[in-house]
Amino acid sequence: MSPRTKEQNDAIRELRMNQIMQAATEVYLEKGIQLEIRDVAVKAELGYGTVYHYYKNKIMLLEDLLWDALNRMESAVLPALTGDGGSLLQAESFSRLLLRKCIQDPSVFILLKTVADNFHHFPGNRFNKLFAEFQERIYLPFVKMIREDISSKSPEKTANLIYGSLVGCTTLNIHHNMRNELDVDGIVDMIFSGIQSKEK
């Protein structure tokens, strides 16, 4: 039997990483920060040693999971960040895209909820850079849309209200196994109609 090529090794590594990340997402939704590498190995149907080869501890694993989620979140909302149609329409589009992504990709939901919780379950200052990147790439562009078109007295508070609503709706649906029943358009319409009527 001939040795594997570099391309074959890379393909196996990518497959293993995807298995580990998917399993880590599922275990985190079940156990939160209490997850252990062994739990992830069982869920991924991989040996403990295999998972440990990639991640020496759960914090390293969660760090990769959240950075990857940030990149996918940014890609998901990019059409709203670069689109036309006025800031209010962009903010609504951003919210729809983000809510859909949270339902389709629970690791994005985990990141959004973790940011909302200010990383308080995580040790030390390890996640400061991730938080700063989230602010720069996701939060501040959203606040800018709100500032420009909703004429809110406090665009940050309005952005927080919207994010909190999206996190809350996703939490209820994910933890009650109702992902397919989430009315994304109806929820976003309700949030924005309430904000606009209050801000007038």
Side-chain angles (χ1 to χ4, degrees):
M1 187 173 179
S2 59
R4 286 194 296 252
T5 65
K6 180 182 182 306
E7 290 76 19
Q8 288 171 322
N9 283 330
D10 289 345
I12 289 169
R13 177 180 170 77
E14 185 175 350
L15 176 65
R16 293 283 180 264
M17 294 293 286
N18 287 339
Q19 282 178 276
I20 292 166
M21 288 298 168
Q22 178 65 39
T25 298
E26 292 175 29
V27 174
Y28 189 90
L29 289 174
E30 294 166 10
K31 296 190 170 188
I33 196 68
Q34 302 304 318
L35 77 78
E36 295 296 339
I37 295 289
R38 286 184 192 286
D39 302 324
V40 175
V42 168
K43 184 71 79 173
E45 299 181 352
L46 295 170
Y48 173 75
T50 301
V51 178
Y52 187 77
H53 171 75
Y54 293 101
Y55 294 103
K56 302 302 181 206
N57 61 60
K58 67 182 181 182
I59 299 302
M60 290 173 64
L61 172 55
L62 289 170
E63 193 169 22
D64 260 15
L65 179 77
L66 295 177
W67 274 105
D68 194 43
L70 176 62
N71 293 330
R72 288 199 307 280
M73 181 187 290
E74 185 177 38
S75 294
V77 299
L78 194 60
L81 295 174
T82 57
D84 297 324
S87 297
L88 180 59
L89 289 175
Q90 284 179 273
E92 288 188 48
S93 173
F94 178 102
S95 300
R96 281 188 179 84
L97 292 168
L98 184 55
L99 185 54
R100 280 195 186 101
K101 190 64 177 174
C102 283
I103 292 298
Q104 295 163 357
D105 184 348
S107 69
V108 170
F109 161 69
I110 290 169
L111 173 61
L112 198 60
K113 186 165 187 328
T114 303
V115 169
D117 291 341
N118 202 26
F119 294 92
H120 79 272
H121 292 300
F122 293 84
N125 298 321
R126 187 173 185 134
F127 292 85
N128 285 352
K129 187 173 188 322
L130 177 62
F131 181 71
E133 286 287 316
F134 174 85
Q135 293 284 102
E136 184 71 26
R137 291 158 58 180
I138 306 293
Y139 181 75
L140 293 177
F142 187 59
V143 170
K144 183 172 182 267
M145 293 175 200
I146 293 168
R147 180 178 288 114
E148 288 176 357
D149 222 344
I150 299 181
S151 65
S152 169
K153 293 175 187 170
S154 175
E156 291 81 6
K157 282 185 180 176
T158 302
N160 291 343
L161 182 147
I162 294 168
Y163 277 130
S165 300
L166 299 179
V167 168
C169 290
T170 309
T171 300
L172 288 169
N173 278 267
I174 284 179
H175 290 302
H176 293 279
N177 295 317
M178 298 164 53
R179 286 185 220 182
N180 295 331
E181 298 173 35
L182 189 69
D183 178 8
V184 170
D185 291 326
I187 289 167
V188 172
D189 288 346
M190 189 183 305
I191 291 169
F192 276 83
S193 64
I195 287 169
Q196 291 173 75
S197 65
K198 286 283 186 190
E199 300 295 348
K200 286 178 181 175

